[in-house]
Amino acid sequence: MLSNSKLGVQDGKLAACPSSPNCVSTQAEDASKKMEPLPFKQTREETKAKLKTILEEYGRVSIEEEREDYIHATFKTKILRFTDDVEFYLDESAKVVHFRSASRIGYSDLGKNRSRMEEIRELYNQ
């Protein structure tokens, strides 16, 4: 069960980012929060397997929920142990992985959600 009712996929969309700067999403309208989705590796199953491998090796991460086309993971920041929610939506029709990474509390994340997703993108593209 999702800990935050705003999480999950509704009509092919992840939740919108809040107005605070501590969120990035491939579906964001705001350019300061927008990131490009990840292309499928091969099939949805192979793409999901690659994402799960990255998450399992990343450290301080826990997969909270998993469905055929969705993964919700939580990340704990190293020093202060804040929890960030990261969601992946595997969009079969567009053959891309949409994602959203957001801090649960606070206002600024000092760019952590964006830098984390850039690191995951780099690992994904290897």
Side-chain angles (χ1 to χ4, degrees):
M1 189 70 186
L2 294 175
S3 58
N4 182 334
S5 62
K6 295 179 183 172
L7 299 180
V9 180
Q10 298 289 328
D11 300 320
K13 297 278 187 191
L14 296 167
C17 282
S19 59
S20 57
N22 58 2
C23 177
V24 294
S25 172
T26 59
Q27 296 176 325
E29 300 293 325
D30 181 341
S32 69
K33 299 173 188 308
K34 176 93 171 144
M35 293 185 75
E36 289 303 310
L38 304 171
F40 270 29
K41 283 296 184 186
Q42 300 283 329
T43 66
R44 181 176 64 192
E45 293 75 21
E46 290 166 307
T47 299
K48 186 173 161 192
K50 174 79 172 178
L51 287 170
K52 284 180 63 177
T53 298
I54 291 167
L55 293 173
E56 289 162 3
E57 294 173 357
Y58 199 87
R60 294 185 312 281
V61 63
S62 172
I63 295 176
E64 302 294 327
E65 182 179 351
E66 179 183 340
R67 296 190 302 265
E68 261 185 41
D69 63 352
Y70 178 80
I71 299 171
H72 168 224
T74 54
F75 287 73
K76 294 268 189 212
T77 60
K78 191 172 186 174
I79 307 294
L80 298 175
R81 300 274 190 235
F82 290 125
T83 299
D84 295 337
D85 290 292
V86 179
E87 299 176 277
F88 297 93
Y89 166 50
L90 293 91
D91 184 342
E92 184 82 60
S93 61
K95 302 287 189 229
V96 297
V97 179
H98 287 290
F99 58 80
R100 178 183 185 272
S101 181
S103 302
R104 282 192 182 171
I105 61 170
Y107 182 76
S108 176
D109 64 352
L110 304 174
K112 183 59 187 169
N113 284 292
R114 181 173 294 277
S115 66
R116 175 189 303 119
M117 296 315 295
E118 287 170 351
E119 289 170 10
I120 288 174
R121 179 185 306 280
E122 212 171 284
L123 295 167
Y124 182 81
N125 288 328
Q126 289 179 358

